């Protein structure tokens, strides 16, 4: 099962992103694509390019763009159910609210609980951002599905933030499976803002960061997960 996560800056270059996904050997065969900073028309543009299904949720318009600002799950597999997970606390500067988009995706014989997440930037205190991480972890924890994937832009600009995120999600059995290669560069700093975590899979066989894309200030990340063997009789 190949999972790709990409923050497409404000969702503006969705058509370019769809083309770059199609041109990338690491991305074009995705099973699940987790998108952040999207509006619904941009999400539809990407999904339609691959004849894929999608679910999208937004907390409202972004103050900088006047466009919907939310997260999407795009998949070639059936979507069984969807939900929006509100995250606590608003941005200290513009009052922007955040949420995670949840979809249960039927990948072959398996139901996989998939989350596309975009937590607040570090102008919000780490303690409050940990509460955002915990809101996602709490939802994962009460879901009845053995397989879960949580990915997105967690704005972890420090090693302390990365550890806090990993510790919070580990509490519900999720382990980081994506590459430790930086996915974002700002003012000469290479940062690991984007992550994919998973639970219940047999193994993570490979992962990486796609270099050279132009649709966003973030680089896409991807991971290939080995689905567990079906039980006898299934």
């Amino acid at each position: 099962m190949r999972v790709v996560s990409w923050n497409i800056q404000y969702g503006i270059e969705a058509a370019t992103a769809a083309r770059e996904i199609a041109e990338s050997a690491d991305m074009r065969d995705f099973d699940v694509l987790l998108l952040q900073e999207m509006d619904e028309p941009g999400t539809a543009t990407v999904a339609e390019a691959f004849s894929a299904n999608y679910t999208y949720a937004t907390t409202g318009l972004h103050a900088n763009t006047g466009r919907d600002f939310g997260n999407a799950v795009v998949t070639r597999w059936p979507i069984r159910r969807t939900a929006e997970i509100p995250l606590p606390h608003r941005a200290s500067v513009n009052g922007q609210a955040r949420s995670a988009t949840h979809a249960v995706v039927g990948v072959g014989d398996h139901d996989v609980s998939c989350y596309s997440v975009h937590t607040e930037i570090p102008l919000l205190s780490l303690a409050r951002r940990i509460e955002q991480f915990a809101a996602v972890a709490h939802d994962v924890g009460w879901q009845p599905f053995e397989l879960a994937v949580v990915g997105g832009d967690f704005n972890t600009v420090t090693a302390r933030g990365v550890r806090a995120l990993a510790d919070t999600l580990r509490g519900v059995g999720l382990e980081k499976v994506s590459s430790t290669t930086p996915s974002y560069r700002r003012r000469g700093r290479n940062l690991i803002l984007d992550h994919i975590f998973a639970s219940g899979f047999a193994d993570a066989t490979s992962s990486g960061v796609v270099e050279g894309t132009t649709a966003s200030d973030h680089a896409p990340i991807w991971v290939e997960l080995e689905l567990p063997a079906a039980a006898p009789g299934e």
Side-chain angles (χ1 to χ4, degrees):
M1 175 177 161
R2 185 166 290 250
V3 180
V4 175
S5 180
W6 198 359
N7 176 329
I8 300 173
Q9 188 177 22
Y10 297 135
I12 292 171
E13 297 293 341
T16 300
R19 175 179 56 78
E20 292 183 332
I21 293 167
E23 292 173 350
S24 169
D26 293 323
M27 295 194 286
R28 60 177 171 245
D29 294 325
F30 70 85
D31 292 287
V32 173
L33 176 61
L34 308 174
L35 301 177
Q36 301 87 47
E37 293 202 15
M38 300 299 292
D39 60 12
E40 187 155 13
T43 301
T45 293
V46 175
E48 289 168 5
F50 300 96
S51 300
N53 303 307
Y54 75 87
T55 184
Y56 171 79
T58 179
T59 55
L61 305 181
H62 195 281
N64 290 349
T65 66
R67 298 160 63 106
D68 276 328
F69 184 76
N71 309 304
V73 178
V74 178
T75 177
R76 292 182 168 94
W77 296 94
I79 295 176
R80 309 289 194 202
R81 68 177 75 168
T82 66
E84 182 179 10
I85 315 305
L87 303 185
H89 309 300
R90 290 177 174 264
S92 55
V93 174
N94 60 16
Q96 184 77 46
R98 304 249 180 174
S99 68
T101 298
H102 177 222
V104 179
V105 178
V107 181
D109 295 327
H110 302 276
D111 283 342
V112 185
S113 192
C114 300
Y115 294 79
S116 182
V117 185
H118 189 191
T119 57
E120 188 52 65
I121 63 174
L123 288 177
L124 188 70
S125 70
L126 180 57
R128 291 188 172 191
R129 293 173 60 244
I130 289 172
E131 291 180 8
Q132 293 187 333
F133 306 158
V136 178
H138 174 77
D139 199 82
V140 174
W142 70 260
Q143 295 287 343
F145 307 102
E146 294 182 2
L147 301 178
V149 171
V150 174
D153 175 9
F154 293 88
N155 279 305
T156 46
V157 299
T158 65
R160 183 183 175 205
V162 172
R163 288 193 300 270
L165 171 64
D167 289 347
T168 302
L169 297 187
R170 190 176 295 117
V172 291
L174 291 156
E175 295 291 340
K176 182 177 166 69
V177 292
S178 53
S179 172
T180 56
T181 301
S183 56
Y184 186 84
R185 181 175 177 82
R186 183 177 177 84
R187 297 177 181 173
R189 295 180 63 195
N190 292 316
L191 302 172
I192 306 172
L193 304 187
D194 304 277
H195 307 264
I196 299 172
F197 294 80
S199 65
F201 291 85
D203 196 11
T205 57
S206 56
S207 64
V209 174
V210 182
E211 305 290 351
T213 54
T214 64
S216 178
D217 53 349
H218 287 248
I221 64 173
W222 64 273
V223 63
E224 193 164 90
L225 301 168
E226 182 180 347
L227 290 159
E234 289 188 0

